[in-house]
Amino acid sequence: MPPPGSMELPIGGADLWFAALDGPLRPPASDTSVLAPCELRRAQGMSVGPRRTFVGARARLRQLLAAYLPTSLGPLDLRRGVNGKPRLTGRLAHCGLHFNTSHSQARAIFAFSRSQVGVDIEALRPLPSALRLAERFFTPSEIAEVAKQRARGQPDTFLKIWTRKEAFVKAVGGSIPQDLGTFQVALEPRRGAALLDEDGRAIRGWTMLPLQPQGSIIGALAVRQTRVKLRRWLLA
Ligand SMILES: CC(C)(COP(=O)(O)OP(=O)(O)OC[C@H]1O[C@@H](n2cnc3c(N)ncnc32)[C@H](O)[C@@H]1OP(=O)(O)O)[C@@H](O)C(=O)NCCC(=O)NCCS
């Protein structure tokens, strides 16, 4: 874990940190001691598995935020903002650091950038109702993308589209599922247009990167920059 104040984001850069949360248990105090009282209360209301994931992910998020923020700006105050998107408050609210996180099956990913950023990971898994889920949440062109796969390929295609869509919604701090139908993603973008509006016009100024941080985990990163210099780390 990088020490407080030690990380600098290059201009045009985005940093990704991937962590396994099911390794040997760290002493509980080292995880829970960095959480705020409201986060501890939230954790207390969860069953064992989700609590362990939430505490592990939130503690690492706080430690990583501390690494990117100048220590002179005071204590790290993290609150739930619009639609539940975590945000920094006080003097830290205007420090220009954007971040987002996602967790799935005891794996977590953390993204940092100087512009809006959203990230999502999902474990690849059998989803017998992939096409029905697509019909419920996706736009017609995305549904067609899932439907053209053989049945056994449909879950992976669904999750590839889902993670791209969720990454974008999380970047703009939107709401799921309400905002999923307001734009579309292209798995094989023509002329770089990975994001399209409802009418099929390119949404410019964004980069969408597919991720596979581990064999069985896929995801996507959406950054409000036309080009991204990506750095990746693995957290022990
Ligand atoms: C966050 C949300 C948008 C997605 O949830 P998810 O896929 O279960 O969760 P992820 O692990 O990808 O992301 C969770 C993190 O995103 C962040 N987050 C929460 N709301 C957010 C929002 N509106 N915008 C951006 N980030 C948000 C938080 O850091 C959260 O972590 P925390 O729970 O530890 O605080 C959730 O509010 C939601 O609506 N989920 C519905 C998912 C669904 O319907 N899935 C079915 C098809 S697979």
Side-chain angles (χ1 to χ4, degrees):
M1 187 61 76
S6 65
M7 292 299 298
E8 192 148 335
L9 262 173
I11 306 278
D15 284 0
L16 267 185
W17 298 79
F18 182 68
L21 305 174
D22 57 356
L25 265 185
R26 295 144 61 90
S30 64
D31 270 354
T32 50
S33 63
V34 296
L35 299 198
C38 61
E39 291 169 332
L40 289 170
R41 276 196 301 278
R42 196 175 150 201
Q44 275 157 12
M46 296 175 181
S47 56
V48 177
R51 187 191 314 141
R52 194 174 164 183
T53 302
F54 171 73
V55 169
R58 188 49 69 98
R60 284 160 184 77
L61 173 64
R62 282 183 163 274
Q63 288 165 328
L64 286 169
L65 281 168
Y68 283 95
L69 294 168
T71 42
S72 58
L73 286 183
L76 201 161
D77 192 9
L78 197 58
R79 300 276 170 91
R80 274 173 122 168
V82 181
N83 293 318
K85 181 170 181 166
R87 62 181 181 88
L88 294 163
T89 60
R91 290 166 69 196
L92 294 174
H94 309 292
C95 67
L97 179 68
H98 294 256
F99 63 94
N100 196 231
T101 177
S102 176
H103 35 76
S104 180
Q105 294 193 354
R107 298 288 179 274
I109 197 158
F110 308 89
F112 299 86
S113 161
R114 290 174 189 265
S115 50
Q116 282 174 299
V117 64
V119 68
D120 186 45
I121 54 169
E122 293 282 345
L124 290 172
R125 56 194 188 271
L127 276 176
S129 51
L131 185 54
R132 259 185 290 130
L133 283 170
E135 286 163 352
R136 186 159 160 217
F137 295 116
F138 290 178
T139 63
S141 69
E142 294 162 343
I143 297 167
E145 195 70 45
V146 178
K148 79 179 188 199
Q149 309 298 323
R150 288 169 194 263
R152 49 192 289 216
Q154 289 181 351
D156 288 12
T157 302
F158 171 83
L159 289 171
K160 278 183 194 165
I161 296 173
W162 177 272
T163 50
R164 284 162 170 79
K165 288 176 84 72
E166 190 167 323
F168 182 62
V169 172
K170 289 173 78 179
V172 298
S175 160
I176 291 182
Q178 292 84 335
D179 292 328
L180 289 175
T182 60
F183 68 97
Q184 37 192 327
V185 297
L187 287 187
E188 286 164 29
R190 262 178 272 147
R191 278 179 267 131
L195 274 167
L196 307 152
D197 68 14
E198 280 170 284
D199 301 318
R201 287 183 298 249
I203 301 175
R204 303 271 173 216
W206 286 83
T207 298
M208 177 71 75
L209 297 174
L211 306 173
Q212 190 154 16
Q214 201 175 293
S216 60
I217 307 262
I218 60 158
L221 176 76
V223 191
R224 192 168 192 172
Q225 284 168 199
T226 45
R227 287 214 181 113
V228 175
K229 279 182 256 164
L230 191 63
R231 303 189 296 184
R232 300 163 195 245
W233 282 274
L234 204 56
L235 272 183

